[in-house]
Every structure is written in structure tokens, then in C-alpha cells.
Amino acid sequence: EAQVTQNPRYLITVTGKKLTVTCSQNMNHEYMSWYRQDPGLGLRQIYYSMNVEVTDKGDVPEGYKVSRKEKRNFPLILESPSPNQTSLYFCASRDGQGGSEAFFGQGTRLTVV
Amino acid sequence: KQEVTQIPAALSVPEGENLVLNCSFTDSAIYNLQWFRQDPGKGLTSLLLIQSSQREQTSGRLNASLDKSSGRSTLYIAASQPGDSATYLCAVTVGAGNMLTFGGGTRLMVKP
């Protein structure tokens, strides 16, 4: 079954404690990206990757890092989380064609206290 | 910069009604437009994908149209059911990295 899998689904952490949210897809997609969803602000792109070792900033990259060492994985790293990073996070993937369908993971609800 | 707007922001209808959700975008240079459904606190489920060269797509009771030149799309839901209650999001694919730009969503409630 075609899937984008995020872990964990829920996470409560403290300010400043480094964390990683993992994302894996089994569709051999070139493109992967991270979004955050906040009430009143909608879904905004954090980072995206067009292939292995190719990443770039989206609209709201501050406070986040990503890496793309393997095609299937695209982890989101928060080196020093702050309360304003409390949000619902989504990973997405699609193949390299411009008109292809985007598939989303089930989301990670992060709370930073 | 591409902006996507969805109207109305919220909609409440009795079961059985046909309804239309609207999506507009400011830049017609899109690759495609995708409609998603999101249940509270859950992920996004893709409903329909319309390529920039297409006018409409249908899946069951759902029909989505695209008028790229005017920057509009509509999602038509026929014979609405309580199980259709969710937030519906439209998103257009633009630019480098095939970035998706989302509208703010329409929160739909279908009352039995």
C-alpha cells in the first residue's frame, strides 16, 4: 500500500530539547516536503527536497533543519524547540512530474512546553 | 506570490443537499489543483487532482472543475451525507520544488 509514514504521531517536549520527526515514503518519490498547520494560518511549507542531498527552504524554515540522505526518508529536526513551534506537522511526497498527486502522512502533533 | 482563497470558510447544510465549495487562486501558472479532505486532528486525504490542462474530474459524488484562466475551482458534492462533514482544502502546485500552496479551507457540517 502506498504510504507516507510519520513518527511519532504525538509528542510533548520541553523547550530546548532537540527532537526529530521521521518521515518515510514507499512510493520511490523524488519530491518530499514538510508543512505545519496552525489555526488561522493554514498549511505552510517548511522545507522541501527535490531528491537525495537536494533540499531548500519553504515559507517558514526558521528553527528547523532537514536532511535527505536516502530517497525514502526526510526527517525534520528541531535543534532547540520553542513554544511557537507547537503545531501539527505533515510530511508529503510526490513523484518528479510537475502534475503529480501529493500524498500526505497522518501528521505529528507537537507540543513544546 | 500565489495566494489561494476558499469561500465560504464554514458551511452547514441538511443531509441530502447538493453543495458547492469555491477555491480561487491569484496566479494561473499552476501545474495542477488538488482537493483534500481533513477530519479533525487527522491527516489530509486526497480527493481529486485536476491537471492544468483539464477542466474537471469526477469521483463518485464529487466533481471538481478548474478554470485556470480565471483562477477558480469548484468542488461539487452531490447528495451530501453526515459522513461528508470535514474540512475541505484546495491546493495548487506551483514553482520550484512543486510546492503546494493551500487555501484556508471550508469547514463543512452536514446535519442528519
Side-chain angles (χ1 to χ4, degrees):
Chain A
E1 180 189 354
Q3 273 188 323
V4 179
T5 303
Q6 296 178 226
N7 280 296
R9 293 288 312 280
Y10 303 91
L11 179 59
I12 301 174
T13 191
V14 296
T15 298
K17 185 177 181 181
K18 181 179 178 179
L19 66 92
T20 299
V21 183
T22 64
C23 175
S24 180
Q25 50 93 5
N26 63 0
M27 295 167 278
N28 201 37
H29 284 167
E30 286 84 3
Y31 288 90
M32 297 186 75
S33 56
W34 278 101
Y35 295 81
R36 61 178 289 175
Q37 185 177 34
D38 302 288
L41 296 174
L43 278 141
R44 295 174 293 168
Q45 191 179 60
I46 304 170
Y47 267 96
Y48 63 93
S49 170
M50 290 190 279
N51 216 322
V52 175
E53 303 292 1
V54 181
T55 63
D56 209 345
K57 297 176 181 178
D59 288 332
V60 288
E62 294 78 19
Y64 303 95
K65 285 177 56 178
V66 293
S67 69
R68 188 93 181 273
K69 293 183 169 55
E70 304 166 284
K71 198 172 188 180
R72 64 183 291 125
N73 296 322
F74 190 45
L76 179 69
I77 303 157
L78 285 71
E79 294 270 2
S80 183
S82 62
N84 65 12
Q85 293 178 297
T86 293
S87 188
L88 181 58
Y89 290 86
F90 290 102
C91 179
S93 76
R94 69 198 310 164
D95 73 25
Q97 300 301 313
S100 63
E101 183 178 7
F103 294 84
F104 279 76
Q106 284 301 100
T108 295
R109 185 166 292 283
L110 172 65
T111 302
V112 184
V113 298
Chain B
K1 184 183 175 182
Q2 179 75 264
E3 292 183 4
V4 181
T5 305
Q6 291 187 244
I7 295 173
L11 183 62
S12 180
V13 300
E15 182 176 5
E17 274 205 5
N18 302 323
L19 55 99
V20 174
L21 308 181
N22 296 293
C23 172
S24 62
F25 47 95
T26 55
D27 186 346
S28 62
I30 63 171
Y31 285 100
N32 62 31
L33 185 143
Q34 201 165 347
W35 282 94
F36 295 90
R37 168 187 173 134
Q38 185 178 25
D39 293 286
K42 299 290 177 64
L44 280 69
T45 300
S46 180
L47 297 173
L48 289 164
L49 171 71
I50 312 177
Q51 303 294 350
S52 61
S53 58
Q54 296 176 322
R55 299 283 293 184
E56 67 178 333
Q57 282 288 335
T58 298
S59 176
R61 294 182 295 108
L62 305 179
N63 176 277
S65 68
L66 174 64
D67 184 343
K68 203 174 80 156
S69 61
S70 68
R72 295 173 190 272
S73 176
T74 61
L75 179 66
Y76 175 82
I77 303 177
S80 58
Q81 303 170 356
D84 294 330
S85 297
T87 295
Y88 291 80
L89 295 156
C90 71
V92 295
T93 300
V94 296
N98 280 339
M99 185 170 75
L100 277 168
T101 302
F102 282 86
T106 294
R107 192 169 62 253
L108 172 67
M109 178 174 291
V110 181
K111 298 178 180 178

